[in-house]
Amino acid sequence: MSDKLKLHGFNNLTKSLSFNIYDICYAKSEKAKQEYIAYIDEQYNAERLTQILTDVVEIIGAHILNVSRQDYDPHGASVTMLIAEHEVPPPAGSDEESPGPLPDTIVAHLDKSHVTVHTYPESHPDNGISTFRADIDVSTCGLISPLKALNYLIHSFDSDIVTVDYRVRGFTRHEDGTKLYIDHDINSIQNYLSEDTQEAYQMIDVNVYQENLFHTKMILKEFNLDNYLFAENPSNLSAEECKDIQDRLQKEMLEIFYSRNMP
């Protein structure tokens, strides 16, 4: 599919990227839990999320038709944007299986439909673990894949665990009438991630190529307890306490990564 496809009419393929990030921390006291959730609500409020999605829309070369956003009580936020494609072709190379831009280098273009984000801060009732989740969906119709926005999105959040689903649906037609169920080469979502991201995360693929379904799970390789303590000075903790907290944090991360509870 490296040669330019000649289609009959408009490209009707729908390409959907679902992206989930998880940020884990340890907040010991009830006060610390509430402060963590308040911090997350401020850091990722509807206004900040709107800016992130606006940048995504710029990356995908689209035009915002409508924005709906809401901060929730007691916590969480949502933003939905309806978008339409620009009437210009994407630049050369934008359909290649390669990483998209970082936050300070927005240059790529995609096509249209909608982008959404929802946030879910929560805390374990009794063991001090707090987990923040953000769900982001980018759906486009047309020439190329929303995977070009993935690199930017990962760098816009503090992500301990990331799960990514990509699916191409529907069909378009070659000019000779033959149905095309995908219009670009893809072997792995990992090929759309920058080198520093690939080095930072352990990754697993679960792909169903014949159905144009692609799934990648990511979990940080390195673990530094200092990065996970909220309102807690590690120098005030004993070695035994540090070990216990680390074990609980890593268990939480592995349960999310493997999508199952562990004894």
Side-chain angles (χ1 to χ4, degrees):
M1 295 183 186
S2 57
D3 295 333
K4 190 69 175 179
L5 291 173
K6 294 184 179 180
L7 303 180
H8 173 75
F10 180 72
N11 187 329
N12 293 312
L13 291 170
T14 298
K15 299 154 190 177
S16 298
L17 172 69
S18 294
F19 165 84
N20 310 101
I21 71 99
Y22 298 86
D23 176 65
I24 317 300
C25 91
Y26 177 78
K28 183 177 181 179
S29 67
E30 185 62 31
K31 179 181 177 183
K33 291 178 185 178
Q34 296 304 317
E35 288 177 348
Y36 170 75
I37 290 176
Y39 165 77
I40 288 295
D41 269 352
E42 177 63 27
Q43 186 74 8
Y44 298 109
N45 59 26
E47 182 178 358
R48 168 87 192 285
L49 296 173
T50 299
Q51 183 57 56
I52 291 174
L53 293 194
T54 299
D55 291 341
V56 168
V57 171
E58 183 176 349
I59 291 172
I60 67 178
H63 174 68
I64 298 173
L65 297 176
N66 176 268
V67 178
S68 176
R69 68 185 191 184
Q70 181 66 50
D71 288 304
Y72 297 111
D73 185 10
H75 45 71
S78 296
V79 180
T80 299
M81 291 183 177
L82 297 180
I83 59 177
E85 66 181 301
H86 286 311
E87 294 183 357
V88 295
S94 58
D95 58 349
E96 294 177 355
E97 190 178 17
S98 60
L102 296 175
D104 58 348
T105 57
I106 296 174
V107 295
H109 289 265
L110 300 179
D111 268 325
K112 68 176 183 180
S113 192
H114 69 268
V115 291
T116 66
V117 59
H118 307 282
T119 66
Y120 305 90
E122 64 89 44
S123 292
H124 190 287
D126 54 29
N127 79 348
I129 303 297
S130 294
T131 301
F132 166 68
R133 183 178 108 236
D135 296 348
I136 301 170
D137 291 286
V138 184
S139 181
T140 70
C141 296
L143 297 175
I144 56 178
S145 163
L147 284 164
K148 288 294 184 178
L150 180 59
N151 217 36
Y152 170 82
L153 288 168
I154 288 177
H155 283 77
S156 296
F157 294 87
D158 294 324
S159 307
D160 295 312
I161 300 130
V162 183
T163 62
V164 188
D165 292 288
Y166 176 64
R167 182 180 182 185
V168 181
R169 295 174 295 168
F171 66 88
T172 191
R173 289 187 186 273
H174 192 275
E175 62 178 358
D176 65 8
T178 304
K179 295 184 184 71
L180 298 171
Y181 296 94
I182 193 167
D183 62 351
H184 65 94
D185 294 323
I186 174 172
N187 293 309
S188 171
I189 292 172
Q190 296 185 35
N191 294 334
Y192 289 85
L193 301 174
S194 58
E195 185 175 345
D196 64 323
T197 301
Q198 294 187 44
E199 291 176 352
Y201 289 88
Q202 172 189 336
M203 293 184 279
I204 297 174
D205 277 0
V206 181
N207 300 324
V208 185
Y209 295 104
Q210 66 270 27
E211 299 294 337
N212 295 324
L213 293 170
F214 304 87
H215 176 74
T216 297
K217 292 182 176 182
M218 306 164 56
I219 186 170
L220 280 177
K221 293 177 181 177
E222 295 188 4
F223 183 93
N224 184 339
L225 183 60
D226 290 356
N227 296 333
Y228 294 87
L229 298 178
F230 188 85
E232 186 75 59
N233 190 329
S235 63
N236 296 330
L237 300 171
S238 67
E240 184 178 352
E241 287 176 311
C242 287
K243 177 67 166 57
D244 177 65
I245 294 169
Q246 179 172 322
D247 287 346
R248 280 188 273 164
L249 286 165
Q250 291 183 314
K251 178 184 177 184
E252 176 85 354
M253 294 170 68
L254 289 173
E255 286 184 339
I256 294 171
F257 183 67
Y258 289 111
S259 300
R260 69 173 187 265
N261 294 316
M262 297 180 177

